[in-house]
Amino acid sequence: MQHFWVVGTDTDVGKTVITTLLMRQLQQHDLQVTPYKPVQTGEVCDNGHCYYYDTAMYEKYSLQRLKQENLNGYSFKEAASPHFAAQLEGQQINVEHLLKQIQLLQQSYDVVICEGAGGLFVPLDTYGENTLLDVIVQSKLPVVLVTRTTLGTINHTLLTLEALHARNVEVLGIVFNGDTGSKMEQDNVKTILQHHDLPYATIPKLQDILHIVDYSISHTSLFERLVKYETSIN
Ligand SMILES: Nc1ncnc2c1ncn2[C@@H]1O[C@H](COP(=O)(O)OP(=O)(O)OP(=O)(O)O)[C@@H](O)[C@H]1O
Ligand SMILES: C[C@H](N)[C@H](N)CCCCCC(=O)O
Ligand SMILES: [Mg+2]
């Protein structure tokens, strides 16, 4: 059994793209894999067709048949923080329900990849009682951290790793996403790895996200770590 979270230093860093990529690559290893997005916000409507980017990406690119009911806990229309998007619809996010869903999925799949929403301290309720990080801690699952390669990433990445370490969350590795190959980006990656010697993968900025189907991370230290990883849960 090997289950983990894909968390980010921020919203829009590429968690969904990396979750989708890891899902495909692990599926190619003959593992039964499902992604799971506990809370997604921001419905997209295009010519009368409405969908959520995260779960739509999983379904579009999965190499295995996914069960829609297994992909998501809560979806809220407003593109906002989960606590506020839920409030606008008069709803509340039940953390116990999310944890139960994650546990049940672990019994049916070889790999459950849970995708965070925004960064670690995103609130799930208006009282500030629960953040995404609280759910991660209670799930007892390790994380893969997705971060940008661009200016500002050193600080965001080190802060996020410090928060994870403070809560004893295991970090399986880092994905540096959206690399354009500049000298500064190379130095950003090197500097972060000097502080935290972790398995990693660097993903280029793709011209079109469709190219995700051609991209392989099987040669990276991060992927090696993931296929070897055995969780203590179960
Ligand atoms: N390596 C990449 N190359 C090109 N485009 C990318 C890459 N990674 C992400 N993107 C694009 O950047 C945008 C944000 O990515 P994504 O939706 O994966 O972020 P996220 O971290 O999952 O955000 P959220 O917090 O909303 O879940 C998307 O339009 C996605 O297609
Ligand atoms: C709408 C967006 N794409 C995400 N789904 C939610 C991001 C919440 C970020 C909250 C914050 O840190 O201010
Ligand atoms: Mg996403």
Side-chain angles (χ1 to χ4, degrees):
M1 296 290 162
Q2 39 192 348
H3 315 285
F4 58 91
W5 286 85
V6 170
V7 299
T9 49
D10 194 4
T11 187
D12 275 345
V13 293
K15 296 182 298 294
T16 299
V17 168
I18 300 308
T19 299
T20 304
L21 187 58
L22 293 173
M23 168 188 75
R24 287 176 61 90
Q25 308 257 284
L26 290 166
Q27 287 172 339
Q28 282 165 350
H29 271 247
D30 273 346
L31 293 159
Q32 287 298 312
V33 185
T34 190
Y36 172 70
K37 177 87 179 181
V39 187
Q40 60 184 351
T41 64
E43 191 182 45
V44 184
C45 288
D46 193 8
N47 281 329
H49 169 61
C50 295
Y51 62 94
Y52 286 86
Y53 182 80
D54 300 64
T55 44
M57 280 285 286
Y58 307 156
E59 288 187 282
K60 180 166 180 185
Y61 291 106
S62 179
L63 299 170
Q64 294 165 355
R65 205 185 163 83
L66 298 176
K67 291 190 176 161
Q68 228 176 14
E69 67 270 22
N70 287 344
L71 298 183
N72 173 236
Y74 297 92
S75 295
F76 300 114
K77 291 186 177 167
E78 187 77 8
S81 176
H83 79 284
F84 183 60
Q87 187 192 322
L88 291 178
E89 295 186 31
Q91 293 206 46
Q92 284 184 358
I93 294 165
N94 183 335
V95 167
E96 292 306 319
H97 171 66
L98 298 177
L99 291 166
K100 184 110 203 154
Q101 274 193 318
I102 293 170
Q103 264 192 351
L104 283 174
L105 290 175
Q106 290 181 55
Q107 289 163 19
S108 307
Y109 292 88
D110 298 320
V111 186
V112 181
I113 310 177
C114 304
E115 184 192 330
L120 292 181
F121 285 108
V122 164
L124 301 182
D125 58 59
T126 43
Y127 321 107
E129 276 176 7
N130 284 294
T131 63
L132 175 75
L133 183 54
D134 294 317
V135 180
I136 293 168
V137 169
Q138 288 177 69
S139 75
K140 298 195 169 76
L141 296 179
V143 305
V144 168
L145 174 62
V146 181
T147 188
R148 296 189 174 94
T149 51
T150 47
L151 192 60
T153 194
I154 298 174
N155 179 55
H156 288 155
T157 308
L158 298 184
L159 282 174
T160 302
L161 288 168
E162 186 155 318
L164 290 165
H165 289 149
R167 305 275 197 110
N168 290 317
V169 177
E170 185 186 3
V171 182
L172 297 172
I174 308 179
V175 177
F176 297 98
N177 185 39
D179 182 39
T180 65
S182 73
K183 285 225 159 62
M184 185 190 64
E185 287 168 288
Q186 282 170 26
D187 187 73
N188 287 343
V189 170
K190 190 180 96 185
T191 303
I192 291 165
L193 293 173
Q194 266 168 3
H195 285 80
H196 298 271
D197 185 16
L198 287 162
Y200 72 99
T202 304
I203 313 295
K205 191 176 175 70
L206 302 169
Q207 269 196 342
D208 190 314
I209 215 65
L210 286 169
H211 296 145
I212 198 175
V213 298
D214 303 318
Y215 196 77
S216 169
I217 60 159
S218 60
H219 59 285
T220 64
S221 55
L222 173 70
F223 196 69
E224 270 175 34
R225 174 81 176 91
L226 288 181
V227 288
K228 275 193 210 141
Y229 171 72
E230 291 256 337
T231 178
S232 53
I233 293 188
N234 292 320

